[in-house]
Amino acid sequence: MGSKRQRLGEPGSSFYGTSPGSSYMYNPTPYAYVGQSPPFPVVKLRGLPFDCTEVDVAEFFHGLDVVDVLFVHKNGKFTGEAFCVLGYPLQVDFALQKNRHNMGRRYVEVFRSKRQEYYKAIAQEVSDSRGGSPHRNAPRAKSYDEGKDSAEHTGVLRLRGLPFSVGKDDIMDFFKDYVLSENSIHFTMNSEGRPTGEGFVEFASAEDSKAAMAKDRMTLGSRYIELFPSTHDELDEAISRGR
C-alpha cells in the first residue's frame, strides 16, 4: 500500500504524533488500554451528501483530530459512505456522539469500524484506480481537459484531493522525477488552520510543470490527485487566505 499507509499503523503515544489540543478529547488516559493494544481509531459514516468533501467531514467532527477521510465508491459512483480515521482511540466515542446529526440537510449515521474494514476499502479504491474504474477514468467534459491542455504554464501546479495526513515528503515522492525542495511545496489551510486537501508545487521551470501534468489523476496513497496549471499569484493568494 506504500510507506505512507504503513505509517498510519505505527505504535506510539498516539497513532499520529502529538495533537495540537490539550483537552481530554485529544489526550487519552495512560491507563485506558493497560496490557492490550489500543483499537485502531476509525469510524464509518453513512448517508453523506453526494457533494461532500473532506473539509465537510472535518467540520462535522469539529474538535477531533481527523487524520484521514476515505470516500467509498462503487462502480465509479460515490456511495454516500466514508471512513474517518481519528487521532486517538478514545476520540471514536466522541465521534459516535455525532450519530444522526445533520450535515447540510441530511442526517449522517456514524458507526464503529475496524482497521481491516478500512484497509479493505483502501485496497478496493486503489484496485479500481489501477483497473480502470469509471470513477477514476471517467471522461470529463471535453472543454475541461482542453482547458488544462491549453493553459499557460508558469512552473506552478495546484493539487486537489490530497489526504489530510499528507506530508511534503509524500509530494516529493509523488513527483520523484523532478527536483523539488520542501520550500517549493505548499499546503493550504482553512481559517481554523486545518488542511483543505489542496496544495501548490513550484517546479524549476514551466517545462517541468507541464511535463508533471502527466501525473494528473494518479493515486497518492488511496486518493487520486487532480493537477491544475496555476500561477504564483494564485499561490500567494491561497497562502494569504490560510494565514
Side-chain angles (χ1 to χ4, degrees):
M1 297 309 301
S3 60
K4 186 176 80 66
R5 287 292 170 190
Q6 293 297 325
R7 287 202 298 273
L8 287 180
E10 288 180 356
S13 59
S14 78
F15 277 90
Y16 314 104
T18 304
S19 166
S22 58
S23 72
Y24 65 96
M25 295 178 70
Y26 292 100
N27 299 316
T29 167
Y31 308 107
Y33 303 106
V34 174
Q36 59 180 312
S37 298
F40 190 72
V42 60
V43 294
K44 186 174 182 179
L45 296 84
R46 181 184 298 160
L48 294 168
F50 284 92
D51 59 351
C52 178
T53 67
E54 295 173 347
V55 174
D56 295 326
V57 175
E59 291 178 351
F60 183 73
F61 288 127
H62 178 74
L64 301 180
D65 292 328
V66 174
V67 174
D68 192 22
V69 179
L70 177 72
F71 293 110
V72 178
H73 299 84
K74 186 174 183 180
N75 298 324
K77 296 182 178 180
F78 178 43
T79 63
E81 296 184 351
F83 292 89
C84 180
V85 180
L86 301 165
Y88 291 98
L90 292 183
Q91 290 191 349
V92 169
D93 293 326
F94 290 98
L96 293 173
Q97 294 177 16
K98 300 288 288 186
N99 184 39
R100 302 183 74 87
H101 282 214
N102 275 40
M103 181 184 294
R105 296 183 178 181
R106 304 187 61 161
Y107 75 86
V108 176
E109 296 178 278
V110 183
F111 307 91
R112 291 185 187 275
S113 187
K114 296 180 179 179
R115 182 199 303 262
Q116 293 86 346
E117 191 177 9
Y118 168 65
Y119 281 177
K120 182 179 179 180
I122 291 175
Q124 185 62 51
E125 290 289 309
V126 173
S127 174
D128 286 350
S129 71
R130 292 174 179 170
S133 159
H135 171 69
R136 300 298 187 185
N137 298 298
R140 302 286 188 121
K142 189 175 181 180
S143 59
Y144 177 91
D145 283 327
E146 284 183 347
K148 282 189 177 183
D149 293 338
S150 63
E152 180 182 356
H153 281 267
T154 65
V156 179
L157 292 184
R158 178 167 64 90
L159 289 66
R160 185 169 70 185
L162 297 171
F164 285 161
S165 57
V166 71
K168 291 189 176 183
D169 57 332
D170 299 311
I171 301 299
M172 294 174 74
D173 186 58
F174 185 70
F175 291 116
K176 60 186 176 183
D177 295 330
Y178 304 90
V179 178
L180 298 176
S181 68
E182 290 194 359
N183 292 334
S184 65
I185 301 168
H186 312 271
F187 300 119
T188 60
M189 306 291 175
N190 62 18
S191 59
E192 297 179 343
R194 294 179 180 272
T196 65
E198 294 196 357
F200 291 83
V201 176
E202 298 177 274
F203 289 84
S205 66
E207 290 75 20
D208 280 358
S209 68
K210 186 173 183 178
M213 284 295 296
K215 303 284 288 185
D216 186 29
R217 300 176 202 163
M218 290 193 178
T219 54
L220 175 60
S222 65
R223 309 295 179 77
Y224 79 101
I225 307 301
E226 292 185 276
L227 305 179
F228 304 87
S230 185
T231 65
H232 286 91
D233 287 343
E234 186 180 11
L235 165 61
D236 292 341
E237 182 182 350
I239 293 176
S240 296
R241 281 200 305 270
R243 294 198 185 108

